[in-house]
Amino acid sequence: MSVKKYTKADGQYFKVINKSSGAILMYGELNESNELNTVHNVEFISEEQYEAERPKPEALSETKII
C-alpha cells in the first residue's frame, strides 16, 4: 500500500474514506502547517459541506455523568 500525502494546496476541508468498506473515517481541515498522510481515499469538500456533515461535539449540558 502506498501512502499519499496531501497539503492545503490540495484543498482545505476533506473527508477520509476507508478504501475497503467505503465508510467515512474522519473529517478534517488542513492549514499551512498540516500534512495529511493516508493509504485511504481522500475527498476534498467545501467548507459548507464540512460544517454540515462532520460530527459535532456534544454540548456540556447534554453530557451524562455516571
Side-chain angles (χ1 to χ4, degrees):
M1 281 190 218
S2 97
V3 175
K4 293 183 182 176
K5 297 179 181 183
Y6 302 93
T7 66
K8 188 174 177 183
D10 297 301
Q12 184 170 0
Y13 300 94
F14 64 88
K15 58 184 171 181
V16 178
I17 303 165
N18 185 293
K19 212 176 207 180
S20 302
S21 70
I24 296 171
L25 299 175
M26 70 174 287
Y27 287 87
E29 178 182 359
L30 291 170
N31 60 41
E32 297 301 330
S33 61
N34 290 42
E35 185 177 88
L36 172 64
N37 299 293
T38 184
V39 297
H40 295 289
N41 297 325
V42 174
E43 181 181 328
F44 287 93
I45 57 178
S46 68
E47 181 178 7
E48 292 78 16
Q49 186 177 354
Y50 171 76
E51 291 297 335
E53 292 182 12
R54 72 183 175 101
K56 307 291 188 287
E58 281 188 39
L60 290 177
S61 61
E62 298 174 15
T63 304
K64 297 175 185 167
I65 299 174
I66 299 175

